[in-house]
Amino acid sequence: MYRSREWILDRIRQDHRNNPELPVHVLATRNRVSQTTVAAALSLSEPAPAKSRPLGVPEPVRTAIDLMPLDEPSRSVDPVSCLPATDEDDHGYQPEDEAGVVL
């Protein structure tokens, strides 16, 4: 199984933080690395935490959303009634409103 160097060094540091009395050879055996690697992991400084991205909506988009009229109900459009009328029967289609009344 492949283990990245950063992952191994992090595990060694974590083991050392949890139990600081452990000797170097025990940490090396536990993590299956050499004592030199353990010494290097303990002497290296902790890596800086990863930067977190700001969450949320960017300010220009937030302003545009605030200006939208969200209180009005959305008006649904009958897709077939938007088509241009033809001389044919239109295959018997008759648009209806919500109550089922033919328009």
Side-chain angles (χ1 to χ4, degrees):
M1 178 176 108
Y2 175 75
R3 301 176 298 171
S4 71
R5 180 171 174 81
E6 293 81 18
W7 185 82
I8 293 170
L9 297 179
D10 187 47
R11 289 291 304 262
I12 294 169
R13 287 188 205 108
Q14 183 180 11
D15 286 345
H16 183 68
R17 274 193 307 268
N18 292 340
N19 197 352
E21 305 84 44
L22 284 178
V24 173
H25 72 275
V26 174
L27 288 172
T29 305
R30 183 179 288 181
N31 291 289
R32 296 181 182 169
V33 293
S34 68
Q35 292 182 19
T36 308
T37 303
V38 172
L42 298 178
S43 67
L44 293 174
S45 62
E46 292 274 336
K51 291 183 179 180
S52 63
R53 291 189 299 162
L55 300 176
V57 181
E59 188 59 37
V61 176
R62 186 178 302 132
T63 305
I65 291 174
D66 290 341
L67 295 175
M68 289 180 177
L70 301 177
D71 297 336
E72 300 174 8
S74 62
R75 191 177 70 113
S76 61
V77 178
D78 184 18
V80 178
S81 65
C82 295
L83 297 175
T86 61
D87 293 336
E88 301 172 9
D89 185 353
D90 283 340
H91 306 288
Y93 175 77
Q94 296 178 342
E96 300 175 349
D97 63 1
E98 290 82 24
V101 178
V102 176
L103 299 175

